Amino acid sequence: MVLAFRWLLRLFTGLVVLGLVALMLAYWILSRSLPDYNEDFTLSGLSQPVEIVRNNNDVPHIFAKTEADAFYALGFVHAQDRLWQMTMLRRTAQGRLSEIFGTRTVKIDELIRRLDLYTLAKTSVEVQDDRTKAALEAYSAGVNAWIEQVNAGARGRGAPEFFFFSNEIAAWSPADSLAIMKLMALQLSSHLESEVQRAQLSLLLPPERLRDLLADDPNPAVAALPDYAALMPGQMPAANPHKLAYLDDPLSPFHSAYFAGASNAWAAMPKRSAAGGSLLANDPHLNLTAPSIWYLARLQLPSGGVIGGTIPGMPLVLVGRSDKLGWGLTSSYLDDQDVVIEKVNPANPEEYMTPEGPKPFTTRRTIITVKDAPPVTITQRWSESGPILPGSHYDLQSVTPAGHVAALEWTALSDKDTSMTAAIRLMTSTTVDEALEAGRLFVAPSQNLMLADENGIALQLIGAMPARDPAHRTQGRMPAPGWEGKNRWTGMLPYEDNPRFVNPVGGLLGNTNNKTVDRPFPNHVSFDWGDTQRIQRWL
């Protein structure tokens, strides 16, 4: 008995020792990806030495003599700390999650491919100004410099996650950064889902009950909308609306309309400040993730220092301040998406009907590679309004009659998207007026830009505002017949039509995603707004 106990004790001790050794080995392997912030590097691509100083919270402070070197260093530190996050954002925008996650993410990839965000991002690179192109190239070079260090120095594959998933990391390119900005636009847009929901309820309820359930902002009410059944005769309400589980998958960039963006910002003029200077505060609260969406950094540029929140993958301080200007963002809730119902030509399913007669869909086939499963081939189709979305997405089948398909009009579906140029100019502006002008080139995602300099404050809606025909059948609140030309966008409104508030008499500006203007259709901003109660408490 004593002998057996001794052997059991020895066996238990041996297993404990082996377990500890295995844990230490695993920790050593995984910790190889942790960067040494005291390390010096000799890298190609820099014109002059760059110093990166980390504070006690490991926030990088980048000191460079040129803009290009500063953005190079920002790409380097982003990749040092967030390489897995950056590659995941890129994969998401490219519709390539299924290559590492299998069948779980096929529906997500399919919808992303139909929107074709990455192709639009690649095309948009050429429309950036020279300064922005240089920033994107320098930033990409900095990211790739760290990837080279990982490959050359056996630095734990760059991030612990790469031990469990594919460690193949393609070189970073300017299009990747633009694609991440388009991905932000996707995450902050919600009107597609709202339109489908309103149409579904319209098929079930009388107009007065619909207004009760989906009430407009009470100041004031808007004109009554047509019954959706009158627009789409024969369309019956769905008995059991489909729950689209992939929309709420943690890997999905498609979120419920209720979580499409919420934020707070306020600013005070010097006359309202006890210290005699302008004040600005911003709370751009987004989904809680690990790691955080935000990454704090400071850049010392030739034009001066800027510090604030960056998003790994983009060479920008999106919200922050310099010694002359502060800027913050809130979701504007601009109605930047419309669902257009296209009537398929009965004589040719490759065409759709327009007031001028049948037009061919633009088509292209694309293959989604799926881990441990056969590849999936889909056909991307576009009408003049935008990409055709299958009925299985957003439960569009419940509001799309037989012989019809649903297309999406959306400001972010631009192949001439100059939002990155606008953001670079904003970050280096020194006055409110300069920042307001920088916003002219912003396309998507639409935001309320809160500004403060030493003399005053401003609130400006930035982002392209769709121009709609005054005779639009649903005012963009529900899907509308595309074969009636009046239900398609007619272009974009001039930047001067975007709401702007500068140095108000009361000396204060605030926004909590609330209704900012009361304009009649079609010059309105939105019929659906965020939480209006927060602004009442603030006032």
Side-chain angles (χ1 to χ4, degrees):
M1 188 67 175
V2 174
L3 182 62
F5 177 77
R6 286 177 178 172
W7 277 106
L8 285 174
L9 181 60
R10 290 169 183 170
L11 179 62
F12 175 75
T13 302
L15 290 174
V16 169
V17 171
L18 286 175
L20 289 174
V21 171
L23 284 174
M24 292 174 64
L25 181 62
Y27 174 79
W28 181 82
I29 293 174
L30 294 176
S31 65
R32 292 286 296 165
S33 63
L34 297 177
D36 178 3
Y37 295 141
N38 294 316
E39 188 174 2
D40 293 330
F41 297 92
T42 300
L43 306 171
S44 61
L46 288 170
S47 64
Q48 299 184 55
V50 175
E51 184 179 16
I52 302 172
V53 179
R54 302 268 184 163
N55 65 12
N56 291 336
N57 295 313
D58 290 333
V59 174
H61 294 244
I62 297 169
F63 298 90
K65 298 293 179 60
T66 68
E67 272 195 6
D69 286 352
F71 291 125
Y72 182 107
L74 181 63
F76 190 81
V77 298
H78 274 172
Q80 269 189 315
D81 296 341
R82 301 285 188 88
L83 189 58
W84 171 255
Q85 180 185 25
M86 292 169 65
T87 57
M88 280 294 292
L89 288 172
R90 178 171 61 180
R91 277 190 178 276
T92 303
Q94 292 173 330
R96 295 177 54 220
L97 290 173
S98 300
E99 293 178 10
I100 57 177
F101 294 109
T103 57
R104 169 184 175 181
T105 55
V106 168
K107 286 294 184 181
I108 298 172
D109 284 345
E110 181 183 342
L111 185 47
I112 287 287
R113 295 285 183 97
R114 293 191 186 280
L115 296 175
D116 214 13
L117 296 184
Y118 195 75
T119 299
L120 296 169
K122 288 194 293 184
T123 308
S124 293
V125 171
E126 294 307 314
V127 300
Q128 311 305 316
D129 66 12
D130 291 341
R131 182 187 191 187
T132 303
K133 288 179 183 176
L136 290 167
E137 291 287 354
Y139 179 85
S140 298
V143 175
N144 294 329
W146 175 250
I147 295 175
E148 291 173 4
Q149 291 295 315
V150 169
N151 293 333
R155 298 174 184 270
R157 296 188 174 182
E161 292 89 346
F162 287 113
F163 283 100
F164 305 100
F165 299 98
S166 172
N167 65 327
E168 296 180 5
I169 308 173
W172 200 263
S173 71
D176 299 336
S177 297
L178 298 185
I180 290 175
M181 181 166 280
K182 286 191 175 293
L183 197 61
M184 284 182 58
L186 178 63
Q187 294 171 322
L188 295 172
S189 297
S190 63
H191 288 274
L192 190 163
E193 184 180 352
S194 297
E195 284 191 33
V196 173
Q197 181 188 57
R198 189 176 292 274
Q200 288 173 330
L201 290 175
S202 176
L203 291 169
L204 293 167
L205 302 172
E208 61 274 9
R209 183 60 176 147
L210 178 60
R211 287 194 295 270
D212 286 340
L213 289 179
L214 298 178
D216 296 320
D217 191 290
N219 293 313
V222 299
L225 291 172
D227 186 347
Y228 190 67
L231 296 174
M232 302 294 165
Q235 181 64 18
M236 300 299 294
N240 295 297
H242 296 77
K243 178 174 174 55
L244 306 179
Y246 70 88
L247 294 181
D248 295 319
D249 192 299
L251 295 172
S252 174
F254 306 97
H255 301 301
S256 168
Y258 301 105
F259 299 99
S263 35
N264 305 298
W266 62 266
M269 293 176 64
K271 67 180 182 180
R272 297 299 300 267
S273 166
S278 298
L279 299 174
L280 185 146
N282 185 208
D283 170 22
H285 50 269
L286 298 174
N287 288 344
L288 179 63
T289 60
S292 167
I293 294 173
W294 296 103
Y295 180 103
L296 296 178
R298 174 189 174 190
L299 299 177
Q300 191 63 40
L301 304 171
S303 58
V306 294
I307 187 169
T310 71
I311 291 182
M314 296 192 292
L316 297 172
V317 175
L318 276 171
V319 292
R321 63 175 176 84
S322 64
D323 60 345
K324 297 182 182 298
L325 181 74
W327 61 98
L329 299 172
T330 62
S331 294
S332 71
Y333 278 74
L334 171 70
D335 188 359
D336 57 3
Q337 292 180 320
D338 276 0
V339 177
V340 176
I341 302 298
E342 305 285 15
K343 181 186 293 184
V344 178
N345 183 3
N348 183 354
E350 298 303 316
E351 297 178 336
Y352 62 101
M353 306 304 294
T354 74
E356 295 77 31
K359 286 187 177 181
F361 289 106
T362 300
T363 62
R364 187 171 77 237
R365 293 170 70 83
T366 184
I367 299 173
I368 301 173
T369 302
V370 185
K371 180 183 178 182
D372 299 328
V376 175
T377 301
I378 64 172
T379 300
Q380 300 165 295
R381 290 197 296 171
W382 286 58
S383 72
E384 61 187 277
S385 289
I388 303 301
L389 302 183
S392 57
H393 295 306
Y394 288 96
D395 204 16
L396 284 163
Q397 59 196 354
S398 67
V399 296
T400 306
H404 298 70
V405 292
L408 175 65
E409 290 181 305
W410 182 27
T411 56
L413 299 175
S414 168
D415 60 356
K416 297 178 176 59
D417 189 340
T418 52
S419 300
M420 185 66 70
T421 293
I424 291 285
R425 293 184 183 183
L426 168 63
M427 183 178 68
T428 54
S429 296
T430 58
T431 66
V432 165
D433 288 341
E434 285 183 19
L436 291 173
E437 185 59 27
R440 180 179 297 276
L441 295 178
F442 207 87
V443 177
S446 176
Q447 297 283 287
N448 288 315
L449 174 63
M450 190 72 78
L451 299 164
D453 62 18
E454 61 180 351
N455 297 314
I457 59 176
L459 175 64
Q460 169 76 51
L461 186 147
I462 56 174
M465 289 184 60
R468 297 178 175 89
D469 191 312
H472 193 295
R473 293 283 295 278
T474 70
Q475 300 181 342
R477 305 190 71 185
M478 292 192 297
W483 59 95
E484 300 175 5
K486 61 188 176 184
N487 298 320
R488 300 187 195 274
W489 290 354
T490 59
M492 296 296 156
L493 295 173
Y495 182 60
E496 286 71 22
D497 283 6
N498 288 24
R500 174 182 293 186
F501 307 88
V502 180
N503 295 336
V505 175
L508 296 174
L509 284 171
N511 183 258
T512 63
N513 315 124
N514 57 286
K515 185 176 184 178
T516 55
V517 292
D518 186 17
R519 296 176 178 172
F521 179 87
N523 294 319
H524 70 309
V525 171
S526 179
F527 292 112
D528 299 315
W529 300 89
D531 184 358
T532 59
Q533 297 183 26
R534 297 197 307 272
I535 193 70
Q536 296 300 323
R537 292 197 299 269
W538 181 73
L539 294 174

